[in-house]
Structures are given as structure tokens and as C-alpha cells.
Amino acid sequence: MKPAAFDYVVPRTVPEAVAALGDAGRKAQVLAGGQSLILEMHLQRIRPELVVDINRIAGLDRLSVEGDTLRVGALVRHSVFESAQSAPGPLGALFARAVVNIAHPPIRSRGTMVGSFAWAHPASEWCAIGTALDADIEVHGLEGKRVVAARDYFHGPYRTARRPQELITAVRFPLLGDDTGVGFIEHRRTHFCFAQVAVAAALTVRDGVIGEARIGLVNCADRPLRAGAAERALIGVEVGPPVDGHRLPDGHPFAHAGRIAATQDAAPLAEPFADVEYKRHAIAVLVGRTLCQAANDQRSRLAQPKGDHK
């Protein structure tokens, strides 16, 4: 590692970390997992004057259920979510399906979910899930704590509502009921590439009819998106018999929702090996497949004995 010179502090409490971040207005960066930050410092694309290492702050590694919410502390590593038991019910299953797409085991053992929210890369799986599920971000600054809804948090690539002198201490996700099925599918060129397109879905089905749909889009704009138009098209739709997502008929409601997501919700940007037309096609296909996965997951949950849902 060959970064530009910087100062380094290791606070022991959140107030100490916030005070360090606000110290004399210097350019500061927070170090938690460091899996993105250290590379950028090595390449000197980021040149902080101060690095605030929060790894010694007690309690930030806590993962806890508080009422109907899962609170993920700032030092909870990606690898924790490889087990579907990390969160109750469908939420844990959704996390487990998504996390295996994040880099590789050494990165997952050090990187953090909250760090992904702080970094705000458009291809972040966690950020799209947080947006789809209406997560809340807890931010601490010199004036105290505030909570920012995910829908208001992301402003663009690497740009968020967090101020430079603030520290994200946790992200809170609403738990999902057992009448909800989840799905996550990602498409990328190689295992070690960022997602060209990925989709997270949660379908709440009652008496065979979709009562609520949540669709999160990864790398389909300059920030994570919730596919609102596609979601509205699904409300009140009968799920029908199981369908293979790889052989989804053009007239199926899930295929229709995919086309809406690709044309009305998404605003994809061209990148190497994936122009806008290609990405819109991928969005349509993956939304349809992910919705099939979520519907099948919901069926399997209903078929399990009560209290045995995973």
C-alpha cells in the first residue's frame, strides 16, 4: 500500500469518533472494513488527511432484533449474513441469497454492510435491498443522532445525505412476515466483477393474490432504485401456478413487470461490455426471474410447518 501521508486515530466511543471527524474540518475517512477505502487510498484516488478507525468502538458489531426491526451495527461483517439465520424469517433468507454475490470470502470476512451504505456504489447489493425494503440509516454527528430513510439517503455514485463530519452507526431493516417470499439474482461478467444488473424482490401473497411487492434494482441507474411502477403493476395480481423463471411466457405478469421496470423505473448507464440496450434487456429478464424465485419461495414457506420457516 502506497497512500499519501495521513494521520490515524482509534476512538473508543461514538462521540470520540464524531469529534475526530469534525476536527478542524480536515478531510477525514472512516475505516471499518476498509475493503474499498484502502484500495482507493493505495491508488491515491482518495487522499484523506485523517483516517478514523472505528474497529475498537464497543457495540458497533452488534446485530439485534428490536421489535419488528433488524438493527445492523456498523462493524457487522458481510460474512455474518451467509447464514439465513442471521435474521428471522424471509429477511435472513434474502440476505443469504445476496451476500454470496459480494466479492469473495476474504473480502466478506472484513467488509461491512454499513460500509456499503457509506460508500454508496451503484452496484452495491445491500444498498438496493435497503432501498427496496425502506431501511433507515442511523447517523451520528456533532449535533446528535438523526435517522435518514434509504429513499432519501442516496444522491448518486458515492454521494449520500451523510455529512462529512457524521458517522453511520447502524442500518435498520423492517422484518418480513412469513407470508412474504424473497428472491435475489445477479448478472455479471465474471465472479470477481461488479454486478452489471441485479434484482432483489419481496412478494407478500395472501390467498393467492399479491398484496405487496418490493423490487430493488442494482446498477440500473446512478444510485440504487426501487422499481415503483413495476411494483404497482403487480398489486392484486394472482400468483398462479409455479413457473420456471427461465421459461417465463411473455404474457405472464412477472414478465410484464420486468418490462415496466426496464423501461419506466430504470435509468441504466452504459459501461464496458454492457450498453444501455443490453442492460434494459437484462433488467427485464432478471426482474421476471427474481419475481418467480420470490413466488416459489413464498409457496415453500407456506408448505413448511409453522415455526419452521427459514
Side-chain angles (χ1 to χ4, degrees), residues 272-285:
F273 309 104
D275 60 20
V276 171
E277 182 180 359
Y278 176 89
K279 292 186 79 169
R280 288 197 188 278
H281 174 73
I283 293 164
V285 171

Side-chain angles (χ1 to χ4, degrees), residues 286-307:
L286 261 63
V287 167
R289 289 180 182 177
T290 309
L291 290 170
C292 285
Q293 188 181 85
N296 292 336
D297 179 67
Q298 196 269 344
R299 289 189 187 93
S300 69
R301 290 179 184 283
L302 291 180
Q304 292 178 36
K306 192 172 182 179

Side-chain angles (χ1 to χ4, degrees), residues 101 185-189 194-199 278 282 286:
N101 296 283
I185 299 177
E186 183 163 314
H187 171 63
R188 49 188 167 171
R189 288 187 63 243
F194 285 111
Q196 287 182 320
V197 172
V199 179
Y278 176 89
L286 261 63

